[in-house]
Amino acid sequence: MGDVAIKAVNMIAKRSREPRPVPAGSTYKIRGNEFFFRGKRVFPSYLQAGPSFGIEKSKRRMIAEDIAAAWKLIQP
């Protein structure tokens, strides 16, 4: 989940008077940690789209790492 999804999940929690599932902060700093919302794992990830995708190799590496980690979670 990118920044928009993180904000949405946190807003849903706030409206329901539940604790914030994902802490405030830059996504690239909190990625790799485990967070849960209503018993489900939420997976903060750096997402990059559009023409800027080819600009920063370090961010492409982060995206690849996050996809690999998510893949491991869903494999039986």
Side-chain angles (χ1 to χ4, degrees), residues 8-64:
V9 167
N10 283 337
M11 185 174 290
I12 291 167
K14 182 179 178 179
R15 286 184 179 175
S16 301
R17 294 191 165 100
E18 297 174 60
R20 170 184 270 217
V22 182
S26 299
T27 303
Y28 75 93
K29 290 181 180 178
I30 62 172
R31 60 183 275 279
N33 294 306
E34 290 187 9
F35 304 105
F36 294 87
F37 180 59
R38 297 181 180 172
K40 305 273 193 258
R41 170 92 186 262
V42 293
F43 196 90
S45 175
Y46 183 81
L47 301 176
Q48 191 173 9
S52 64
F53 182 76
I55 294 174
E56 298 179 54
K57 289 183 181 180
S58 65
K59 291 183 179 173
R60 287 190 293 181
R61 185 174 40 254
M62 282 189 252
I63 293 167

